[in-house]
Amino acid sequence: MASPGAKLGLQTIGSEQERAVAVVETEKQGDVAVIRMNNPPVNALGHALRTGLEAAFADANADPAVQAIVLTGTGRFFSAGADITEFASGMKEPFLPQVIDTIEASTKPVVAAVNGTALGGGLELALGCHYRVAAKDVRQLGLPEIKLGIIPGAGGTQRLPRAIGVEKALDLILSGAFIDAKAGAAAGLIDKIAEGDVVAEAVAFAKAHTAKPPRRIGQQTIDAAKVPAGLFEKARASIARHPSGPLAPKCAIDAVELSLTLPVSEGIPRERQIFREAAASPYARALQYAFFAERQAANLPGIGADVKTRAVETVGIIGGGTMGTGITLAFLNAGIPVTLVETTQDALDGGVNRIKDTLSANARRGRITEAQAADRLAKLTPALELKDLGKADLIIEAVFENMALKKEIFAKLDGIARSGAIIATNTSTLDVDEIAAVTKRPQDVLGLHFFSPANIMRLLEIVRAAKTGNDVMATAMGLAKRIGKVGVQAGVCDGFVGNRMLAAYAEEVQAMLLEGATPTDVDGALETWGMAMGPLAVADLAGLDVSYRIRKERKLVGERAQLARVPDKIVEMGRLGQKTGAGFYKYDANRKRQRDPEIEALIRAEGNAQQVRQKAISADEVVERSLLRLANEGAKILAEGIALRASDTDTMYLNGYGFPAWRGGPMWQADHLGLAKVAERIKAYHAQYGERWKIAPLIEKLAADGGSFAALDKKKR
Ligand code: T1G
């Protein structure tokens, strides 16, 4: 072995090996070999890294001068787990379970110096080490595989229960939640929290353990008596509407349950079988697609890392209503001071109290501490004058959905906002170009369309107007991540991307009601299929008056007016949804919905009045017609360039419209069904129902060429 502290490497015999060497470095600190993973950006355990680790451990174990081994990562990452990009292309040996078994079998103590994020295979790697020393600021420890529609596949379902107990392990694996180093130590996952340099403290820890036989988690047994009775039954009963779909949660429970009865040497091969079953499902493919789609959405063509973003350290919000206060909370929660402007003291007090109530409720529920709640409230400045926003870096208008009012406010802001400030509108449908045109600084104007409740919903539709500057778009995209949102670009058209598709979907729902379906039939079918909430229940939650006002502004005619008759009549009866205790449904004191025969009769009468041929509509038809209208409208939007990618549309529906991630999104569903089949079905509906089902030329073309939305997106990269 070369002199202490020297960098060691494998003999280079080919490019794969070169990569393996490049991503694993071994350094000697006295008689301790420090093996460092260096595979940016997240130390994903791809083939090269697995190969490099296997070789580095073989080397260190064979070296008589080495008494102990420390494994660590680089930068913010220990390892973010298996390389998800390898899933589609298939993995090559050495497989991760093998590498981890080799590490656990080491005859010399192996200490993981967990310098940062350790997730999935990354945490399984650390569990294969004999001891774990973590840096005190580590926030992300977990096995989130379930969010990708799979289960831990490198021993996590067998070793984690032995390390922290079956109940905690099952909870972490089923939720995919992250824990920090402190919680890890409390659970028994982490042996020592490093106050200083984690590698140095891990080396010292290792030296202190060279005399003892290594402690292998894989050899530990589980005391079944300590497992709460009925744990697995309760878990199985709790996964009916798991956000990862019907299969992976069941697989996770089955695998963890094996840890009670099988030794690790038998449990891991069984885990692998179950892993493969989950990985082969369309739900896993949809969730992995969603993972990358969300990250892809942040890439704006022509706007590279060289585009300088603007500083946003203070924000002004105009309007203390539901949206204004939700948006204010989103910024306060991210530690960004907000000045909230309203026109009257009462309205302002109303808004401030709503914010106070939400913060104290979050503290009461333990989501934040009292101190954090107080700190966030201290960052709020109520105001009654627009001029108080003169210093704000970003101003967001969130007033009533009325063009004249918004233009009046933007004309005033043009004279008030500091030079270089970004001025945004939270409109959900109106023309942002028209709003920008009342200012002398259209390059500083864009749409920031939040979704209610704005402090909860992850989606932020970033509406790029014709003159919006690249730096403003880049700033908005970065800001979205900073406030915990998923930013997705949309162009200007009526309803932008999300609401324009929603209008087509909602229209088809109304058509199915007039043909004979009931609200319960429609919502029931879509919720059983996986939607978080059916479209009519969502309409009642959002308030039927909101869409009523938009329809009245639009002055609908022809079939569109006919299809809006039922919701119009319901609103004109004073039934605005949950907030009035009745809409498409009746609501009890706990806001639980109940079918309402009066509304079902109203719908029947309207269907007959419009002489709509009545028919039984199956749940499958409800789902098919809803999805195809969404995909067809999505394809038109894509062809017009209003959405950059089909995957952006899906990212919007997953994060803003309650579309289940394990179903991928409307465009992914269309690809999954096959565009030839989609085209055939749309044409069949067009023949039956006419113009509203006119096929999008893009679908017709892709179907004819054997193409797909995914392939189209790939071409654009
Ligand atoms: N594989 C491949 N690429 C990955 C990756 C991974 N595991 N994790 C992140 N990336 C890419 C990501 O696409 C992006 O690329 C860049 O890294 C930065 O990510 C056997 C089989 C770690 C919390 O589920 O949750 O182990 O867009 O923008 O916000 O049991 O990434 O720049 O080109 O998200 O700081 C289990 C997944 C895998 C963790 C960091 N692991 N990653 O968030 O950065 S399955 C996970 C995350 C497994 C084993 C099984 C997050 C993060 P690009 P980012 P971030």
Side-chain angles (χ1 to χ4, degrees), residues 41-42 76 80 82-84 121 124 144-145 148 152-153 291-292 295 481:
V42 296
R76 291 196 296 128
D83 187 337
I84 308 169
E124 290 171 301
E145 284 84 345
L148 299 168
F291 176 86
F292 288 114
R295 282 147 185 84
K481 193 157 188 176

Side-chain angles (χ1 to χ4, degrees), residues 3-275:
S3 55
K7 290 232 174 296
L8 301 174
L10 295 168
Q11 302 312 313
T12 52
I13 51 177
S15 63
E16 284 273 344
Q17 285 300 2
E18 276 158 5
R19 272 274 303 130
V21 166
V23 292
V24 176
E25 301 152 3
T26 302
E27 178 196 4
K28 233 166 120 204
Q29 297 193 8
D31 56 5
V32 176
V34 177
I35 298 175
R36 194 183 297 275
M37 297 179 278
N38 185 8
N39 183 26
V42 296
N43 277 341
L45 295 155
H47 182 252
L49 186 46
R50 298 194 303 273
T51 308
L53 282 172
E54 195 172 56
F57 272 87
D59 257 13
N61 274 308
D63 183 341
V66 170
Q67 298 305 311
I69 303 167
V70 166
L71 172 63
T72 194
T74 27
R76 291 196 296 128
F77 293 95
F78 178 79
S79 169
D83 187 337
I84 308 169
T85 62
E86 273 187 358
F87 292 3
S89 52
M91 294 196 192
K92 287 186 294 186
E93 292 210 42
F95 297 122
L96 191 54
Q98 266 167 280
V99 174
I100 296 174
D101 286 350
T102 307
I103 293 172
E104 189 171 60
S106 297
T107 53
K108 303 168 182 177
V110 179
V111 179
V114 183
N115 57 298
T117 296
L119 298 175
L123 186 65
E124 290 171 301
L125 195 57
L127 283 165
C129 299
H130 305 138
Y131 308 97
R132 283 149 294 283
V133 174
K136 65 174 182 289
D137 57 358
V138 170
R139 300 239 173 295
Q140 301 177 320
L141 301 172
L143 295 177
E145 284 84 345
I146 205 154
K147 295 180 182 169
L148 299 168
I150 54 177
I151 67 168
T157 66
Q158 306 305 303
R159 290 195 176 91
L160 190 66
R162 286 170 165 82
I164 68 172
V166 175
E167 191 175 6
K168 275 207 186 80
L170 184 61
D171 178 47
L172 265 185
I173 291 170
L174 268 180
S175 64
F178 301 166
I179 59 173
D180 62 18
K182 198 156 154 259
L189 175 64
I190 300 296
D191 298 290
K192 182 175 185 307
I193 301 246
E195 292 306 325
D197 172 15
V198 65
V199 172
E201 295 193 32
V203 167
F205 190 100
K207 284 179 187 289
H209 287 74
T210 48
K212 304 180 193 128
R215 185 196 64 191
R216 298 185 176 89
I217 291 179
Q219 290 169 350
Q220 291 170 14
T221 53
I222 291 177
D223 176 358
K226 285 212 183 99
V227 179
L231 176 70
F232 293 100
E233 291 66 32
K234 251 193 256 130
R236 287 192 173 92
S238 73
I239 55 172
R241 294 193 65 78
H242 192 287
S244 296
L247 183 59
K250 178 187 140 332
C251 289
I253 297 169
D254 294 349
V256 172
E257 195 170 25
L258 288 173
S259 68
L260 266 70
T261 52
L262 297 178
V264 164
S265 56
E266 291 173 36
I268 288 182
R270 292 288 302 282
E271 172 197 83
R272 198 80 198 155
Q273 280 167 356
I274 298 172
F275 171 91

Side-chain angles (χ1 to χ4, degrees), residues 315-341 351-352 355 359 376-377 379-382 396 398 450 454-455 483:
V315 173
I317 309 272
I318 304 168
T322 310
M323 289 312 294
T325 50
I327 298 169
T328 300
L329 279 160
F331 283 96
L332 294 177
N333 291 342
I336 301 172
V338 174
T339 300
L340 176 64
V341 176
V352 171
I355 292 165
L359 288 171
R376 291 169 196 196
L377 199 55
K379 288 189 167 70
L380 174 65
T381 307
I396 304 177
F450 289 78
N455 52 319
I483 63 173

